[in-house]
Amino acid sequence: MATQPNIILHAADVHKNFGGLRALSDIDLQIEEGKTHAIIGPNGAGKSTLLNVIIGRIPPSSGAVVFDGQVLTGKAPHEINQLGISRVFQTPEIFVDLPVLHNVMAPAFARRDGAFRVNMLRSVDSETEIREEAEQLLQDVGLYARRFDTSGALSRGDKRRLELAMCLIQRPRLLLLDEPTAGMSRHDTNTTIDLLKKIKSSGMTKVIIEHDMHVVFSLADKISVLAQGRIIASGLPHQIKEDPRVQEAYLGGSVQ
Amino acid sequence: MNAFLAQLLNGLDKGGAYALIALGLTLVFGTLGVVNFAHGALFMLGCFCAVTFRYLITLETVTIDPENLSPWGTPVEVRTPLVQNWFGDFGAVLVDYSVPISILLAVPAMLVIGIAMERGIIKHFYKRSHAEQILVTFGLAIVLQEIVKSFFGANPIPQPIPSDLRSAADIGVWLGMDPHTLTYPWWRIVYLAFSAVVIGGVFAFLQFTTFGMVVRAGMADRETVGVLGIDIDRRFTIVFGLAAVVAGVAGVMYTPLLAPNYQLGMDFLVLSFVVVVVGGMGSLGGAVAAGFLLGILQSFASMTEVKSLVPGIDQVVIYLVAVVILLVRPRGLMGRRGIMEN
Amino acid sequence: MVSLSRTDLSKLAIFAAIVLTMPIWLAPFGAAYPGLMQKFAIYAIFAIGFNILFGLTGYLSFGHAAFLGVGSYTTVWSFKLLTMDILPAMALAVVVTGIFALVIGYFCLRRTGIYFSILTLAFAQMCYSLAYSVLTPITNGETGLLLAKNDPRVLDALFGASASTDGLPHPTLLGGSISGYTGFYICAVLLIVSFYISQLIFRSPFGLALRGIKSNQTRMSYTGFNTKPYTLAAFVISGMFAGLAGALLSVTDPLAGAERMKWTESGNVVLMTILGGVGTLYGPVVGAWLIKYFENIFSAINTNILHSFLSFLPDGLEQVVVAVLSKFVGEGWHLTLGLLFVLIVVFLPGGLVEGSQRLARWLTGRLKGSGAQPHPHPAE
Ligand SMILES: Nc1ncnc2c1ncn2[C@@H]1O[C@H](COP(=O)(O)OP(=O)(O)OP(=O)(O)O)[C@@H](O)[C@H]1O
Ligand SMILES: [Mg+2]
């Protein structure tokens, strides 16, 4: 009774078909508050599609997603974000022709001012509070030196870290990460792991999709395995490691 | 019933022109991915091919006939078109039929213009944003129409219908009605038949040649065709030239129905974009169907009964349809799902 | 002043100085007469407004002439029905245009990209044809809306402002005449105010949101911005600027005609903005001035002037050169304009402002030697 986990996100009985292709079937996924939940699975398993359903990018064919007591299905993307869900995309979605610093500041305005506000009387640069917060985050992800550069000029890995900072500045309750370290060097990957570990202690819930097992096992509290649109296993990291079905379907029996 | 039939017929030739322009517009958009705001100007250039041809063919020699005095006692100037000097009666026929014959000038001229446009400018805009494509082709449209204006002036230049075709056909009789209940000018019938032939020709070309197959494949899935390593570039040029020719000949034959002036292109551009949108971006069949549909709709809207019911409807009906379609069903009547749906 | 940093304030001050001293520095160019300088100010306002939509959000409207027309008609109606004072006329014009833009924007903004452009074009063409047909009671069709001696002018009558006995009344500002330089300075002040507002928007979080929409609409909505009202707000603001410009056209010359709503007018403002530099503060102003200036110069040149200009050439050559050049001046000015437009889009998409910045960077780079590497190239 005392340790009843608080479920912050529940995808209940979600199906998604693209024409004849069953991208998701029978998905029942529960995310515990404050935990890091990893979703792994081979290419084309439907991992990104699952995130797309959660954030309202595509409607599920059937089923519903509930976040903290509210049904997300049918809500507009900005409404879902305003509830406290941010996402890092598999291919970085950033403001390529804006300076890095403004990339990070813009989401902070959405957090502070809501989905729409005609705020013309102050200048962006005079918003010192938000500016400082953004600069701090840029320091954390290692992009501070490049804060005045146009973000389109960043490398692929840097774009990912920028997008992470853009999500973090929103202080979301739920952070969805779609392969946040793909395209990064080992060193940058480790910094990112450290950064994500640090926010783990701040109580933010995270869902992370990752192919890199090193990243998965260093961060995840819980792992679900997706294959051909179905969750074939779900459990604690050591359980997943030992699950023969998983080894067969995904890990190919070669994980230590 | 007869009034209804008459309006239906009246809409058809206009619809034919819309369909021909829209066909090229959507062909270029579907294959090249280019939004061509200069397409109306190509139609206008076609019109002026007819004007130029007639100008050339009616160049005259002036001889003074001393025997023949005018009422004022001065010798009369006799003007004979050169062609008549050279070819006699046949020359006179040439002059009479200048509009349809000028297609012979329009086809090569429009092909050259189209290819030059594509090679010179459009080619560099395949990878740039739609906004930039719109801007550059819009600029091109201005240039083309201003060039025409500087040579032909700003006033409309009417073109005659060949004298054999000036009367009206008593269509009612063909349908078993009383004589004179339903008549329709011969030239409009010619235009309708002409547009049907051109549309049929374009479809046949796309359907039955390997070239056409590649183009259709490209319209369905541009990336794949690019990956296949087919020499897209040359084909794009030809497609653009083809679209220019179709727009051009549509213009040539339309001149007797509407005296062309240099601004005509922009009016037709807006209309034909509406047609393309209504038919569905990138759908050839849609463009043709929507062209005729809107032509007929416009002709019904200009009936006095309708106008007295909804004043001004004839002016705006096309735009209203476009607005409604874009808002309610943005992929148009026959566009494929997911193409530009937002 | 609200929110402008020191550099912004000095930019504003410099801009104000440039605008207010136009009568002095335009004199050597032969352009320092009120009629033309008014046009400079008015079209700069039009372009500044257009740039708030196109430059910041990337939505390319081909229907802004409709707003210019609505502003003009409203102004003349205010002159006819209420008073010859220009303040209520301009206020009304801006409000009415704003409402009009709200309605049109609501529909057009449900689509993006080319569809948006076509929708705005269709709406504007619709207004244009209606102004010539059904709406003649309001627009007076081809003749255009004119003042008449026996217009009611309720407010003027109420306050007993004596209508001058001879001829048509003239627009006034608080009772004073606005002809000549006064008219110019009114336009100039409004231009400076418009520039200031545009500066505010450019600097503000609102402006940042608009740029975000241009840059990546997907990211905007997944970041919690509701992009629809943002674009609609930009559309309405930019429509109101156009309405103000239209009002000023009628204030300085009290008539309104449907040709102001034609697509060529819409095209003109696109052109001004592109020429100067889309999305920059000064670009639209520079573009508007250049185009209006050259329109004035070029369209006044005729073959006689060309002949006297080129008389140093040998005779035959002179004939040929004049014949060619005459296609580009006078009536042919639009041809020059169209060519310029194509050249700018092809070779200098950033417009003159960006072009000159690039030139300046290149020059300073040369002076400093090859050491400076200004910007790293994109990685992909
Ligand atoms: N919008 C769409 N329309 C049609 N099919 C889609 C769409 N999005 C995804 N799919 C298909 O659904 C399946 C699952 O795709 P998804 O992107 O979710 O895989 P994934 O698990 O994220 O793979 P990866 O590890 O490569 O990112 C794939 O077969 C994909 O082709
Ligand atoms: Mg994926």
Side-chain angles (χ1 to χ4, degrees):
Chain A
M1 193 71 199
T3 51
Q4 176 75 14
N6 187 10
I7 302 299
I8 190 166
L9 185 97
H10 185 186
D13 202 17
V14 167
H15 293 254
K16 180 68 199 177
N17 302 327
F18 292 116
L21 177 77
R22 313 183 101 202
L24 293 175
S25 353
D26 246 345
I27 298 291
D28 195 283
L29 183 71
Q30 305 200 0
I31 311 287
E32 287 174 37
E33 182 156 24
K35 294 284 165 56
T36 298
H37 194 128
I39 298 176
I40 60 173
N43 290 109
K47 305 181 295 291
S48 300
T49 304
L50 180 57
L51 291 199
N52 283 340
V53 169
I54 294 175
I55 60 162
R57 195 176 213 189
I58 52 178
S61 305
S62 68
V65 181
V66 180
F67 174 72
D68 197 24
Q70 305 203 49
V71 180
L72 297 185
T73 318
K75 278 197 172 33
H78 68 266
E79 293 172 321
I80 293 176
N81 175 278
Q82 288 286 345
L83 290 175
I85 302 181
S86 291
R87 169 175 181 186
V88 173
F89 286 84
Q90 186 164 359
T91 37
E93 296 277 0
I94 57 176
F95 304 119
V96 283
D97 29 40
L98 297 186
V100 168
L101 182 60
H102 284 179
N103 265 273
V104 185
M105 288 178 76
F109 289 117
R111 178 195 79 199
R112 191 192 69 184
D113 298 342
F116 174 62
R117 181 166 157 219
V118 180
N119 179 358
M120 282 176 19
L121 296 183
R122 305 203 48 175
S123 92
V124 170
D125 295 322
S126 68
E127 301 272 7
T128 34
E129 214 169 288
I130 284 180
R131 193 194 161 106
E132 277 160 15
E133 199 179 336
E135 284 173 345
Q136 180 57 49
L137 266 167
L138 282 174
Q139 232 146 34
D140 292 346
V141 298
L143 287 173
Y144 182 75
R146 307 201 61 182
R147 65 193 181 284
F148 297 127
D149 290 356
T150 305
S151 68
L154 298 179
S155 70
R156 201 171 134 88
D158 283 350
K159 281 181 181 159
R160 262 178 208 297
R161 293 190 288 171
L162 171 61
E163 200 186 12
L164 180 60
M166 291 165 73
C167 289
L168 289 178
I169 202 169
Q170 295 203 302
R171 298 190 210 128
R173 295 182 58 200
L174 175 63
L175 178 64
L176 308 174
L177 301 139
D178 199 342
E179 306 193 14
T181 64
M184 281 188 193
S185 66
R186 175 80 356 209
H187 173 260
D188 285 348
T189 302
N190 285 335
T191 348
T192 308
I193 292 176
D194 289 343
L195 181 67
L196 289 173
K197 269 191 179 146
K198 208 160 74 185
I199 38 174
K200 187 172 168 181
S201 50
S202 73
M204 187 186 294
T205 313
K206 290 188 285 296
V207 173
I208 178 167
I209 292 177
E210 197 41 89
H211 284 296
D212 185 335
M213 288 308 133
H214 169 63
V215 178
V216 171
F217 288 110
S218 13
L219 288 171
D221 300 310
K222 206 173 167 192
I223 298 177
S224 296
V225 184
L226 208 60
Q228 287 166 356
R230 290 176 185 278
I231 295 181
I232 55 168
S234 222
L236 300 174
H238 70 270
Q239 295 171 321
I240 296 297
K241 238 185 219 176
E242 285 147 16
D243 192 318
R245 283 170 307 169
V246 177
Q247 302 207 346
E248 184 189 333
Y250 180 58
L251 303 174
S254 64
V255 150
Q256 300 304 307
Chain B
M1 184 60 198
N2 286 349
F4 179 83
L5 265 179
Q7 290 306 327
L8 194 72
L9 286 173
N10 275 336
L12 282 180
D13 53 299
K14 198 172 250 178
Y18 292 167
L20 285 179
I21 308 176
L23 194 64
L25 203 56
T26 202
L27 193 63
V28 166
F29 179 77
T31 45
L32 284 63
V34 168
V35 184
N36 184 12
F37 263 48
H39 201 73
L42 292 173
F43 177 78
M44 182 270 300
L45 285 182
C47 293
F48 278 90
C49 282
V51 174
T52 312
F53 184 73
R54 187 168 179 80
Y55 171 80
L56 291 176
I57 210 172
T58 51
L59 282 176
E60 299 164 320
T61 51
V62 181
T63 47
I64 294 183
D65 185 354
E67 314 275 286
N68 203 346
L69 294 186
S70 74
W72 297 278
T74 50
V76 168
E77 290 182 351
V78 181
R79 296 166 175 274
T80 358
L82 282 172
V83 274
Q84 214 162 331
N85 276 349
W86 299 336
F87 302 114
D89 285 348
F90 178 64
V93 174
L94 278 184
V95 172
D96 190 23
Y97 275 84
S98 75
V99 169
I101 295 174
S102 52
I103 287 183
L104 296 179
L105 168 70
V107 170
M110 295 308 296
L111 197 63
V112 169
I113 292 173
I115 289 177
M117 245 169 96
E118 197 273 345
R119 286 289 90 185
I121 295 205
I122 308 282
K123 176 178 86 169
H124 305 290
F125 281 78
Y126 291 149
K127 293 264 153 61
R128 287 168 74 171
S129 70
H130 283 319
E132 283 178 305
Q133 295 173 351
I134 291 179
L135 290 173
V136 79
T137 50
F138 181 73
L140 261 179
I142 297 178
V143 170
L144 291 176
Q145 74 175 38
E146 290 301 322
I147 290 176
V148 166
K149 181 179 160 202
S150 75
F151 283 101
F152 295 93
N155 292 326
I157 306 174
Q159 297 297 304
I161 301 175
S163 49
D164 294 338
L165 298 170
R166 273 181 211 156
S167 55
D170 204 340
I171 292 196
V173 175
W174 305 351
L175 301 173
M177 293 184 235
D178 293 333
H180 306 300
T181 41
L182 184 63
T183 59
Y184 193 56
W186 272 109
W187 185 257
R188 290 176 181 252
I189 297 180
V190 169
Y191 195 87
L192 191 56
F194 172 77
S195 38
V197 168
V198 175
I199 291 169
V202 171
F203 274 83
F205 176 70
L206 292 178
Q207 201 68 42
F208 300 122
T209 62
T210 21
F211 181 90
M213 259 170 55
V214 174
V215 169
R216 278 185 301 128
M219 288 183 82
D221 185 353
R222 257 179 348 121
E223 264 116 60
T224 315
V225 175
V227 171
L228 289 179
I230 294 166
D231 177 9
I232 297 282
D233 257 31
R234 219 188 64 237
R235 281 163 217 266
F236 278 2
T237 313
I238 297 175
V239 166
F240 197 89
L242 181 72
V245 169
V246 171
V249 295
V252 166
M253 296 294 275
Y254 208 70
T255 48
L257 298 175
L258 181 69
N261 75 350
Y262 74 106
Q263 289 196 321
L264 181 81
M266 201 44 86
D267 301 336
F268 272 83
L269 172 78
V270 178
L271 286 172
S272 43
F273 256 117
V274 168
V275 170
V276 170
V277 164
V278 170
M281 268 291 183
S283 155
L284 295 171
V288 173
F292 283 106
L293 234 127
L294 288 179
I296 293 166
L297 202 63
Q298 204 174 28
S299 119
F300 277 117
S302 47
M303 286 169 80
T304 6
E305 295 89 331
V306 179
K307 275 201 286 190
S308 61
L309 213 64
V310 193
I313 185 72
D314 54 322
Q315 304 280 332
V316 297
V317 64
I318 296 244
Y319 303 120
L320 277 182
V321 171
V323 169
V324 170
I325 287 276
L326 275 183
L327 296 180
V328 179
R329 193 184 155 91
R331 70 186 146 115
L333 298 178
M334 297 166 84
R336 269 177 305 136
R337 183 178 280 282
I339 300 273
M340 319 263 327
E341 273 204 275
N342 40 34
Chain C
M1 251 185 277
V2 202
S3 119
L4 285 193
S5 67
R6 192 172 283 152
T7 40
D8 283 336
L9 273 180
S10 49
K11 274 185 199 165
L12 180 62
I14 293 172
F15 182 76
I18 291 176
V19 172
L20 293 173
T21 56
M22 263 185 179
I24 300 168
W25 61 265
L26 277 178
F29 298 98
Y33 49 96
L36 184 59
M37 292 190 299
Q38 280 165 3
K39 288 254 148 53
F40 285 172
I42 293 170
Y43 280 92
I45 293 175
F46 192 18
I48 284 178
F50 181 77
N51 189 43
I52 288 173
L53 181 67
F54 182 43
L56 289 181
T57 68
Y59 278 75
L60 173 56
S61 158
F62 263 97
H64 259 50
F67 304 130
L68 199 70
V70 170
S72 278
Y73 283 122
T74 314
T75 307
V76 177
W77 273 112
S78 164
F79 286 158
K80 288 168 86 70
L81 297 180
L82 303 174
T83 163
M84 287 307 291
D85 198 287
I86 63 172
L87 290 181
M90 292 193 303
L92 260 179
V94 171
V95 171
V96 170
T97 320
I99 295 170
F100 189 68
L102 188 69
V103 176
I104 291 197
Y106 175 78
F107 288 110
C108 295
L109 286 166
R110 308 187 81 178
R111 298 284 159 247
T112 56
I114 35 169
Y115 281 141
F116 173 79
S117 300
I118 296 171
L119 266 176
T120 49
L121 185 58
F123 263 114
Q125 286 291 88
M126 201 146 71
C127 295
Y128 175 67
S129 353
L130 286 179
Y132 271 125
S133 53
V134 202
L135 296 180
T136 17
I138 302 177
T139 60
N140 203 19
E142 293 202 24
T143 330
L145 192 60
L146 304 167
L147 296 181
K149 258 197 99 172
N150 55 354
D151 286 330
R153 277 186 269 284
V154 212
L155 291 181
D156 283 355
L158 205 65
F159 295 108
S162 60
S164 56
T165 42
D166 45 300
L168 290 172
H170 294 287
T172 54
L173 173 62
L174 305 172
S177 157
I178 60 155
S179 59
Y181 277 98
T182 323
F184 161 67
Y185 280 111
I186 290 171
C187 298
V189 168
L190 287 170
L191 170 58
I192 294 166
V193 172
S194 304
F195 185 82
Y196 170 60
I197 295 176
S198 134
Q199 255 186 324
L200 284 182
I201 293 177
F202 269 64
R203 295 281 157 238
S204 66
F206 174 63
L208 181 60
L210 297 183
R211 283 182 223 259
I213 289 170
K214 178 181 186 175
S215 185
N216 189 340
Q217 184 131 204
T218 313
R219 181 29 97 192
M220 282 302 276
S221 32
Y222 294 107
T223 293
F225 287 101
N226 189 359
T227 53
K228 282 250 166 64
Y230 274 105
T231 42
L232 187 58
F235 192 84
V236 170
I237 292 172
S238 116
M240 285 161 91
F241 274 82
L244 176 64
L248 286 173
L249 282 176
S250 292
V251 160
T252 50
D253 183 11
L255 50 85
E259 74 286 345
R260 256 172 218 167
M261 301 178 126
K262 214 179 164 193
W263 61 266
T264 40
E265 245 351 286
S266 300
N268 255 335
V269 73
V270 179
L271 227 113
M272 292 171 183
T273 315
I274 299 278
L275 174 67
V278 185
T280 62
L281 264 175
Y282 297 105
V285 179
V286 172
W289 287 355
L290 280 179
I291 286 185
K292 282 294 150 188
Y293 177 71
F294 283 113
E295 176 182 270
N296 191 53
I297 301 284
F298 270 56
S299 49
I301 297 178
N302 54 30
T303 38
N304 291 337
I305 299 181
L306 282 180
H307 275 296
S308 61
F309 222 74
L310 298 168
S311 51
F312 62 93
L313 291 174
D315 225 27
L317 186 60
E318 185 191 324
Q319 297 294 343
V320 174
V321 174
V322 168
V324 171
L325 284 185
S326 65
K327 296 284 179 209
F328 295 89
V329 296
E331 289 276 282
W333 146 249
H334 288 279
L335 176 56
T336 317
L337 200 60
L339 280 176
L340 193 67
F341 191 50
V342 173
L343 291 179
I344 291 276
V345 180
V346 173
F347 294 110
L348 203 63
L352 291 179
V353 167
E354 200 205 87
S356 58
Q357 279 167 0
R358 239 193 280 172
L359 188 70
R361 256 202 315 266
W362 183 76
L363 283 179
T364 48
R366 286 234 128 177
L367 289 180
K368 281 183 190 159
S370 56
Q373 199 77 313
H375 277 284
H377 284 286
E380 291 150 73

